[in-house]
């Protein structure tokens, strides 16, 4: 049997197979094929990595043989010899999985360099310093990664030798210093490994390959995959790329850099990037030296700059997507070492997608799919209010947009620790960040660093996470001993507040006010395309005319949920609502309700008017009544205090006598005290305190009477409507009168009445009769016909089971998936999120929080049954969703697939919902089960 093929040269590899070759490997193969200057090399596949893990982390003989052949081919292609004493072949050993995980896995450079081959390199390059510098870099990386010597030991040696030589920059180290450094590194390696240092390049190569494979399961990589939900289907194992070394540190005609084919912060169509002359790749990425903007290369090396421009166009024409690529210039010759789809911030993603469509590179659908709902979430991030923008403390390089405020925290471990105990916002402040700091990023709202450029690790990771980040803030000083930082004269302690603006690079003291972002022309264009494509309706959950106005500007096609209780809670209504609840006779209750009517009518009128021509779904009162009353604890306290009033008064009566006795000089204070005492006496005489006490005791009794053990499952929604019909009658009347008045004024209104918490068809019929009666009465009184839709929320499992009967009465259903999730799981929605859900997620008992991400397998199935049965009774039944899930992208896709008419979500999620609905339409595959559902599901799926 032919042994499995694990090694592919860059000419052989399939550039579209990211799973097998990893992103980096596939890119190198593809770039080789389209004629870009890639140094010769080969890829060891991810299958070899999986095989390595299956074989107890040992490299098989088959792989060894194929690697040997690969190296031989490289020797032929380059005219060099691996381990040779003339023209030695030096290679890099680079990780690369199917999904980009920047900085999470390991890479070793300059392998093949040893105390034996270095002389040949010196002879060839006539640059002794360069050769020793390359060797010390190799020892550092190989020692740390392949031989697991703690990296700090090497950092420490480097600092030690620099200080002995009296220099502060690595580049200033002389040849003797570098030699000393290499000797000490070898000693350190030997001391740590208890072995003499093995200089055989083949042994080193296989150790390096193993180390890269090992880094796939390293803590950093595992944490990163967990955080970003990178599943095995997305990336399984890392490939290893063996690439002939090219050097950006061979003097002033050499350089290394990272570039984007368009500006990753704005989307502008121009070459964007940074480079360092006389440096090696990791110097740019690690942010150790602050690089120069790419435009400077046009002056420094104009010919190469033009070549880079050509590369930019070739890459974009080929990939039709913004590319993020690495290059090295070795003594004037340009090499491309990597390309991948650029991680763009939201604005750039929108602009470049729109521009590329206009340039004819991509279609509208492709442009839409380029922009993720997460991007829009980023765009909806707040930025600093220009009216309150204070003078900045300092500024750095704006690396990831958006503004964030938080308490200063100086190390990632502490950030993680603090986040466990509180929800406090944090800003991680570091000299530079390294891949192992990733947990600190997760815990912080924003990141500020002293060093680094836009492509440094901190910048790339923060952009990926959509967290504001400022790098290269050189005015920043950090003192880890005293846990203080300073910007010139201003000092701050760890724990003080700081604000950063990742769009401008500015840093401010304290917590600076921020404002909501605006939708610009590009985004507006994109959302208009989304609207052209999507078939799912988009409505908003809105309770006020102001919010309705905002919803309209953000593209809402109606209101899917107007929660009327929020109107009851307004200060001018609450006291009337309380009177209504506390009324001990029907007359009193009726009287209070009649006072509420005009308020309610005015609210509805304003909202209906704002939404002219669009449906407005008004939900009748839902929450239990006790929510409108004071809580029993504070009432008990008040009652206790009132009861203590008499004894307090007695104590006060004696106060003047005591003051006279203890300190007669205080006599001037006596008259006001005596005045107050007299007033209090009067109150007592008039028995006002007792009357007040009685009132409070009565209220307490009522509150206690209304209190329930499980209020969310208790006297709320339709149950309340049936026991206190006057409330629903008033709301129905208010809505219909508001509609009739507007119709008289010539305004096109589309009111809808929705009943919450329904579980039987009889309940719904009961309210329906009430609605019909009032509807007729109002139409008669106004002499006008008022269009009205009547529907029910679906929030109760029994309602799902009785959907067929409910549809006999309802014109529409709206899934209240907040309650339906609670009811399906029997998880209290008030408590689950603070109690056990995080642990359930951590232990993977539940993949997501079901109150955030629709549980398609459970709640989703109930929805499908409901749709099926509801539409059997009424084929044109309108069905929407108004729970929180209506604004969640994956849930929206599911809603589209199961045939919902619309989703209704909170106002600021409207753009996300419009885009997600378009994505769902583009991705829809007719006749296929929605992703994530078990295939045993027997019901029909609507499209
Ligand atoms: C729901 O239950 O999904 C819903 C929208 O209603 P509320 O959140 O007000 O209970
Ligand atoms: Mg509900």
């Amino acid at each position: 049997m032919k042994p499995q093929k694990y090694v592919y040269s860059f000419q052989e590899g399939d550039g579209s197979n990211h799973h097998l070759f990893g992103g980096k490997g596939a890119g190198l193969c593809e770039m080789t094929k389209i004629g870009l200057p890639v140094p010769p090399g080969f890829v060891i596949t991810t299958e070899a990595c999986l095989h390595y893990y299956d074989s107890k982390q040992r490299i098989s003989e088959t792989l060894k043989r194929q690697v040997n052949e690969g190296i031989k081919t490289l020797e032929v292609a380059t005219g060099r010899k691996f381990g040779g004493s003339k023209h030695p072949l030096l290679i890099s050993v680079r990780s690369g999985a199917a999904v980009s995980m920047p900085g999470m896995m390991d890479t070793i450079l300059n392998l093949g360099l040893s105390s034996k081959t270095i002389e040949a390199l010196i002879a060839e390059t006539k640059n002794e310093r360069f050769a020793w510098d390359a060797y010390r870099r190799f020892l550092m990386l190989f020692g740390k990664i392949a031989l697991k010597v703690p990296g700090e030991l090497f950092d420490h040696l480097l600092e030690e030798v620099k200080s002995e030589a009296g220099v502060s920059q690595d580049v200033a180290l002389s040849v003797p210093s570098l030699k000393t450094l290499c000797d000490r590194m070898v000693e350190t390696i030997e001391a740590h490994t208890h072995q003499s240092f093995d200089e055989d390049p083949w042994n080193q190569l296989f150790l390096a390959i193993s180390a890269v494979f090992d880094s796939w399961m390293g803590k950093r990589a595992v944490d990163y995959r967990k955080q970003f939900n990178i599943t095995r289907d997305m990336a399984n194992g890392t490939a290893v790329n063996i690439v002939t070394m090219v050097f950006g540190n061979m003097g002033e005609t050499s350089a290394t850099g990272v570039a984007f084919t368009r500006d990753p912060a704005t989307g502008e169509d121009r070459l964007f990037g940074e480079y360092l002359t006389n440096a090696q790749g990791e110097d740019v990425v690690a942010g150790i030296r602050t690089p120069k903007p790419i435009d400077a290369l046009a002056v420094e090396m104009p010919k190469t700059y033009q070549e880079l421009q050509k590369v930019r166009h070739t890459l974009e024409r080929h990939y039709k997507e913004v590319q993020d690529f690495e290059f090295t210039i070795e003594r004037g010759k340009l090499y491309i070492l990597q390309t991948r789809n650029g991680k763009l911030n939201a604005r750039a993603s929108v602009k470049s997608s729109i521009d590329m469509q206009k340039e004819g590179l991509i279609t509208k659908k492709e442009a839409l799919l380029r922009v993720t709902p997460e991007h829009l979430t980023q765009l909806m991030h707040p930025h600093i209010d220009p009216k309150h923008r204070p003078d900045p403390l300092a500024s750095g390089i704006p690396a990831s947009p958006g503004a964030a405020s938080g308490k200063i925290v100086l190390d990632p471990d502490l950030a993680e620790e603090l986040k466990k105990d509180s929800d406090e916002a944090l800003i991680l402040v570091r000299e530079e960040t390294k891949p192992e700091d990733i947990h600190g990023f997760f815990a912080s709202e924003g990141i500020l660093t002293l060093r680094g450029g836009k492509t440094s690790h901190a910048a790339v990771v923060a952009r990926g996470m959509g967290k504001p980040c400022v790098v290269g803030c050189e005015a920043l000083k950090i003192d880890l001993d005293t846990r203080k930082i300073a910007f010139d004269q201003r000092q701050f302690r760890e724990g003080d507040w700081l604000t950063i603006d990742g769009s401008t690079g500015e840093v401010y003291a304290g917590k600076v006010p921020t404002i909501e972002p605006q939708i610009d022309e590009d985004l507006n264009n994109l959302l208009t395309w989304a609207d052209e494509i999507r078939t799912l309706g988009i409505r908003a959950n809105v309770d006020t005319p102001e919010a309705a106005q905002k919803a309209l500007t953000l593209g809402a096609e109606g209101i899917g949920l107007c929660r009327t209780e929020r109107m009851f809670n307004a200060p001018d209504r609450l006291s009337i609502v309380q009177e209504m609840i506390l009324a001990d006779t029907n007359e009193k209750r009726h009287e209070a309700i009649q006072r509420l009517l005009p308020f309610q009518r005015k609210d509805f009128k304003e909202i209906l008017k704002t939404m002219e021509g669009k449906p407005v779904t008004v939900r009748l009162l839902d929450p239990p009544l006790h929510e409108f009353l004071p809580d029993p604890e504070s009432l008990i306290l008040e009652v206790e205090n009132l009861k203590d009033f008499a004894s307090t008064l007695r104590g006060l009566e004696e106060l003047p006598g005591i003051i006279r006795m203890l300190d007669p000089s205080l006599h001037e204070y006596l008259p006001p005290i005596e005045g107050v005492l007299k007033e209090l006496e009067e109150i007592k005489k008039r028995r006002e305190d007792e009357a007040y006490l009685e009132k409070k005791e009565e209220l307490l009794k009522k509150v206690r009477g209304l209190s329930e053990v499980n209020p969310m499952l208790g006297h709320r929604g339709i149950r309340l409507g049936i026991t206190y019909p006057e409330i629903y009658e008033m709301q129905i009347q208010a809505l219909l009168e508001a509609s009739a008045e507007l119709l008289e004024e010539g305004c096109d209104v589309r009111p809808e009445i929705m009943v919450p918490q329904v579980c039987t068809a009889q309940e719904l019929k009961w309210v329906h009769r009430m609605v019909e009666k009032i509807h007729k009465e109002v139409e008669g009184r106004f002499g006008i016909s008022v269009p009205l839709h009547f529907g029910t929320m679906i929030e109760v499992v029994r309602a799902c089971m009785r959907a067929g009967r409910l549809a006999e009465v309802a014109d529409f259903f709206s899934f209240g998936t907040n309650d339906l999730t609670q009811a399906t799981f029997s998880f209290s929605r008030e408590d689950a999120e603070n109690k056990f859900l995080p642990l359930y997620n951590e232990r993977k008992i539940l993949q997501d929080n079901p109150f955030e991400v629709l549980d398609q397998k459970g709640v989703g199935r109930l929805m499908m049954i409901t749709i099926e049965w509801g539409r059997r009774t009424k084929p044109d039944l309108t069905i929407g969703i108004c729970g929180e899930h209506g604004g969640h992208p994956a849930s929206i896709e599911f809603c589209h697939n199961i045939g919902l008419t619309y989703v209704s979500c909170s106002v600021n999620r409207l753009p996300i919902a419009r885009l997600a609905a378009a994505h769902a339409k583009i991705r829809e595959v007719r006749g296929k089960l929605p992703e994530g559902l078990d295939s045993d599901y027997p019901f029909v799926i609507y499209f």
Side-chain angles (χ1 to χ4, degrees):
M1 201 174 77
K2 225 174 149 203
Q4 178 154 11
K5 187 166 167 62
Y6 290 129
V7 169
Y8 290 78
S9 75
F10 290 164
Q11 280 92 352
E12 278 179 305
D14 171 3
S16 63
N17 194 342
H18 284 229
H19 269 92
L20 190 60
F21 297 105
K24 187 178 285 174
L28 288 165
C29 295
E30 196 68 12
M31 288 197 295
T32 304
K33 281 192 191 143
I34 59 174
L36 290 177
V38 175
F42 58 86
V43 193
I44 304 171
T45 63
T46 53
E47 276 172 2
C49 176
L50 299 181
H51 187 252
Y52 170 81
Y53 279 104
D54 287 344
S55 334
K56 304 200 173 91
Q57 285 161 268
R58 277 216 300 275
I59 298 209
S60 67
E61 288 308 314
T62 312
L63 179 56
K64 278 192 182 162
R65 254 195 323 277
Q66 294 185 16
V67 169
N68 270 324
E69 282 161 23
I71 294 284
K72 294 234 168 66
T73 317
L74 282 193
E75 288 178 337
V76 174
T78 58
R80 297 178 169 275
K81 180 103 189 105
F82 192 48
S85 52
K86 267 192 196 152
H87 296 309
L89 170 69
L90 306 187
I91 52 174
S92 62
V93 181
R94 294 166 183 268
S95 57
V99 174
S100 159
M101 298 166 51
M104 296 302 125
M105 289 184 298
D106 293 327
T107 284
I108 295 173
L109 304 174
N110 305 342
L111 197 142
L113 199 51
S114 67
S115 62
K116 299 190 185 66
T117 56
I118 193 164
E119 291 308 325
L121 186 67
I122 295 170
E124 190 185 335
T125 59
K126 307 200 176 37
N127 188 341
E128 202 177 354
R129 195 196 169 281
F130 154 75
W132 283 102
D133 190 49
Y135 189 40
R136 69 98 186 167
R137 287 171 192 264
F138 165 69
L139 288 172
M140 239 167 154
L141 286 168
F142 185 77
K144 179 177 157 192
I145 295 162
L147 302 174
K148 320 281 187 240
V149 179
E152 306 85 81
L153 298 182
F154 297 120
D155 293 342
H156 181 74
L157 286 179
L158 179 61
E159 289 310 313
E160 185 180 272
V161 171
K162 280 203 289 196
S163 116
E164 284 168 12
V167 299
S168 61
Q169 299 270 346
D170 303 2
V171 280
L173 283 174
S174 65
V175 170
S177 298
L178 286 168
K179 280 185 179 172
T180 309
L181 178 59
C182 291
D183 288 345
R184 290 190 195 165
M185 284 182 175
V186 171
E187 279 165 25
T188 301
I189 290 175
E190 293 185 337
H192 199 271
T193 56
H194 306 295
Q195 276 177 2
S196 61
F197 181 53
D198 182 353
E199 288 215 296
D200 182 299
W202 289 99
N203 291 345
Q204 289 181 344
L205 173 58
F206 291 116
L207 270 178
I209 294 172
S210 306
V212 173
F213 283 158
D214 290 340
S215 67
W216 172 253
M217 290 307 289
K219 183 177 172 351
R220 265 187 282 149
V222 172
D223 283 354
Y224 189 92
R225 291 199 292 276
K226 215 165 142 192
Q227 179 70 23
F228 290 102
N229 286 327
I230 300 175
T231 59
R232 280 185 192 202
D233 289 345
M234 294 158 78
N236 202 5
T238 179
V240 181
N241 302 285
I242 307 288
V243 193
T244 307
M245 281 302 302
V246 287
F247 294 95
N249 56 342
M250 275 201 178
E252 292 309 305
T253 55
S254 300
T256 187
V258 185
F260 283 80
T261 55
R262 295 185 194 219
D263 187 327
T266 63
E268 213 183 315
D269 183 12
R270 66 178 181 110
L271 181 64
F272 174 92
E274 291 165 330
Y275 73 103
L276 280 169
T277 18
N278 199 11
Q280 212 158 308
E282 81 270 20
D283 299 340
V284 182
V285 178
I288 290 162
R289 280 162 58 190
T290 302
K292 295 179 257 190
I294 200 97
D295 296 345
L297 194 72
V299 180
E300 232 182 317
M301 302 183 200
K303 198 175 127 283
T304 319
Y305 181 78
Q306 285 315 318
E307 278 180 61
L308 269 178
Q309 288 284 11
K310 274 198 201 127
V311 167
R312 160 170 112 93
H313 292 300
T314 309
L315 282 173
E316 277 209 346
R317 272 196 308 273
H318 183 74
Y319 284 102
K320 301 182 184 344
E321 200 151 344
V322 176
Q323 296 294 296
D324 160 3
F325 64 100
E326 281 177 22
F327 63 91
T328 285
I329 304 164
E330 183 182 282
R331 293 200 282 211
K333 173 148 179 40
L334 175 70
Y335 291 97
I336 311 297
L337 299 178
Q338 177 176 323
T339 190
R340 59 185 175 199
N341 293 340
K343 278 201 163 94
L344 309 184
N345 75 24
R347 200 158 293 289
S349 173
V350 171
K351 177 166 171 49
S352 64
S353 303
I354 294 267
D355 288 352
M356 282 187 162
Q357 190 275 341
K358 287 186 188 147
E359 289 158 28
L361 282 174
I362 55 174
T363 62
K364 277 187 183 177
K365 283 185 182 171
E366 282 166 335
L368 279 166
L369 288 175
R370 289 279 161 84
V371 181
T372 61
E374 289 72 27
H375 273 134
L376 292 198
T377 313
Q378 258 184 52
L379 267 190
M380 305 312 279
H381 273 174
H383 55 265
I384 287 179
D385 181 351
K387 286 198 224 84
H388 297 103
R389 192 184 283 273
D391 285 339
L393 286 167
S395 69
I397 300 171
S400 178
S405 299
K407 289 187 168 173
I408 298 166
V409 58
L410 298 180
D411 72 70
D413 291 342
L414 180 61
E416 190 178 52
E417 209 43 48
L418 290 172
K419 207 68 190 181
K420 267 189 205 149
D421 300 334
S422 92
D423 219 21
E424 201 96 76
L426 303 170
I427 300 285
L428 181 64
V429 182
R430 302 283 282 165
E431 291 208 346
E432 66 198 80
T433 64
K434 295 193 176 159
E436 45 267 42
D437 296 344
I438 185 88
H439 54 299
F441 279 56
F442 294 138
S444 309
E445 304 310 306
I447 296 97
L448 171 65
T449 73
L450 161 59
R451 284 193 282 269
K454 277 191 181 173
T455 43
S456 62
H457 167 261
V460 172
V461 175
R463 264 203 304 276
M465 292 183 179
K467 297 206 171 182
C469 176
V470 174
V471 296
C473 179
E474 288 175 359
L476 168 67
K477 289 195 185 57
I478 303 178
D479 185 340
L480 284 176
D481 294 329
T482 57
R483 310 294 292 182
K484 281 185 187 156
I485 67 168
F487 302 88
D488 298 326
Q489 301 309 314
R490 295 278 304 269
Q491 278 210 354
F492 297 83
R493 285 172 202 285
E494 192 167 34
D496 287 346
W497 281 85
L498 208 62
T499 298
I500 60 168
D501 186 341
S503 313
T504 62
E506 277 159 351
V507 181
Y508 304 90
K511 208 173 175 177
V512 179
T514 51
I515 50 170
E516 294 292 317
Q518 299 295 316
I519 293 203
D520 66 11
E521 197 188 319
D522 286 326
L523 180 53
N524 205 21
N525 273 340
L526 190 89
L527 291 172
T528 312
W529 294 353
D531 294 342
E532 285 164 15
I533 283 178
R534 68 181 165 81
T535 48
L536 190 63
I538 306 290
R539 296 195 191 179
N541 293 353
V542 151
D543 316 318
T544 62
E546 298 72 35
Q549 190 53 53
K550 190 166 173 211
L552 271 185
T553 60
L554 292 179
E557 295 161 329
I559 291 178
L561 172 64
C562 173
R563 290 179 165 101
T564 45
E565 60 270 24
R566 307 244 164 112
M567 300 167 175
F568 278 24
N569 266 319
D572 49 351
R573 335 271 164 89
L574 192 59
S575 60
I576 314 178
V577 174
Q578 290 181 345
E579 271 180 50
M580 167 187 87
I581 299 169
L582 299 172
D584 41 19
T585 62
N586 282 347
E587 289 71 41
K588 279 193 193 155
R589 178 166 313 115
H590 182 76
E591 191 266 327
I593 284 176
Q594 285 314 306
R595 274 194 286 143
L596 275 177
L597 178 73
F599 284 115
Q600 189 93 99
R601 190 170 45 223
K602 182 164 167 283
D603 294 334
F604 291 149
K605 203 168 164 182
E606 285 175 24
I607 292 179
L608 285 164
K609 191 165 177 189
T610 310
M611 298 303 292
E612 180 167 11
K614 298 190 165 60
V616 173
T617 311
V618 169
R619 179 177 75 181
L620 300 177
L621 195 68
D622 180 33
L625 291 182
H626 68 78
E627 282 193 11
F628 300 101
L629 298 177
D631 71 286
E633 273 84 26
S634 57
L635 275 175
I636 292 171
L637 200 71
E638 264 186 85
V639 167
E640 297 295 322
N641 287 345
L642 281 169
K643 282 184 180 162
D644 287 347
F645 179 68
S647 62
T648 310
L649 196 60
R650 266 196 306 283
L652 282 174
E653 279 163 5
E654 283 162 25
L655 194 61
I658 295 172
I659 289 177
R660 275 192 204 94
M661 190 177 77
L662 291 178
D663 192 349
S665 70
L666 290 178
H667 70 275
E668 63 188 283
Y669 296 110
L670 289 176
I673 295 176
E674 282 163 348
V676 171
L677 271 173
K678 219 162 150 207
E679 292 273 331
L680 291 173
E681 266 307 320
E682 286 301 314
I683 288 176
K684 204 158 163 45
K685 263 193 218 140
R686 292 198 304 266
R687 295 174 48 88
E688 277 174 16
D689 59 327
E690 280 171 34
Y692 196 60
L693 177 62
E694 254 170 49
K695 207 169 145 195
K696 288 283 163 184
E697 279 181 326
E698 188 55 32
L699 184 59
L700 180 60
K701 210 165 114 201
K702 194 88 187 178
V703 169
R704 280 192 170 135
L706 285 172
S707 95
E708 293 171 291
V709 179
N710 285 317
M712 293 305 273
L713 302 178
H715 199 178
R716 60 178 289 211
I718 176 73
R719 275 96 73 182
L720 194 69
I722 289 176
T723 40
Y724 297 99
E726 308 87 341
I727 303 177
Y728 275 18
E729 276 164 4
M730 179 277 286
Q731 292 197 299
I732 297 163
Q733 184 183 338
L735 179 67
L736 286 164
E737 285 178 356
S739 304
E741 282 177 17
L742 284 168
L743 284 164
E744 275 183 342
E745 291 166 24
C747 176
D748 174 16
V749 290
R750 311 265 166 99
E752 303 190 338
I753 289 176
M754 178 161 77
V755 190
Q757 295 293 327
V758 168
C759 63
T760 88
Q762 293 313 317
E763 283 174 326
L764 197 62
K765 282 180 183 159
W766 193 92
V767 185
H768 191 232
R769 280 195 294 276
M770 179 190 271
V771 169
E772 277 189 324
K773 189 168 151 253
I774 302 172
H775 193 186
K776 227 181 246 153
E777 189 276 315
V778 172
E779 283 188 332
R781 185 150 41 90
F782 281 80
I784 209 164
S785 146
V786 182
L788 180 68
H789 281 146
F790 176 75
T792 178
M793 291 193 77
I794 303 284
E795 305 173 277
V796 175
V797 178
R798 195 176 187 284
C800 300
M801 298 296 112
R802 302 299 294 151
R805 296 302 304 280
L806 292 173
E808 289 171 4
V809 200
D811 304 316
F812 67 90
F813 287 173
S814 178
F815 287 105
T817 43
N818 303 336
D819 273 306
L820 190 56
T821 301
Q822 165 172 272
T824 308
F825 281 82
S826 285
F827 286 175
S828 154
R829 57 190 265 205
E830 311 294 297
D831 301 312
E833 280 171 313
N834 319 330
K835 300 256 161 48
F836 52 85
L837 265 184
L839 193 71
Y840 263 49
N841 295 145
E842 201 184 304
R843 304 249 160 107
K844 298 281 172 219
I845 294 170
L846 280 177
Q847 204 66 31
D848 299 298
N849 172 354
F851 291 103
E852 218 173 84
V853 181
L854 187 76
D855 160 49
Q856 298 181 8
K857 292 181 180 169
V859 179
R861 277 193 176 192
L862 280 170
M863 291 169 73
M864 290 164 83
I865 294 171
T866 311
I867 297 170
E868 165 80 9
W869 291 347
R871 287 201 177 136
R872 260 192 217 168
T873 303
K874 199 172 265 175
D876 60 348
L877 187 69
T878 299
I879 306 180
I881 176 174
C882 61
E884 281 305 297
H885 309 90
H888 178 262
S891 314
I892 292 172
E893 180 158 4
F894 178 80
C895 290
H896 169 88
N897 286 337
I898 61 171
L900 254 57
T901 321
Y902 67 84
V903 295
S904 188
C905 61
S906 52
V907 173
N908 57 10
R909 287 169 112 180
L910 282 164
I912 297 167
R914 287 161 72 192
L915 182 69
H919 282 190
K921 179 67 189 170
I922 297 169
R923 284 200 285 252
E924 119 190 334
V925 187
R926 279 176 181 272
K928 213 182 133 208
L929 279 170
E931 219 168 284
L933 264 194
D934 299 343
S935 51
D936 60 355
Y937 187 63
F939 295 93
V940 173
I941 295 149
Y942 285 90
F943 283 105

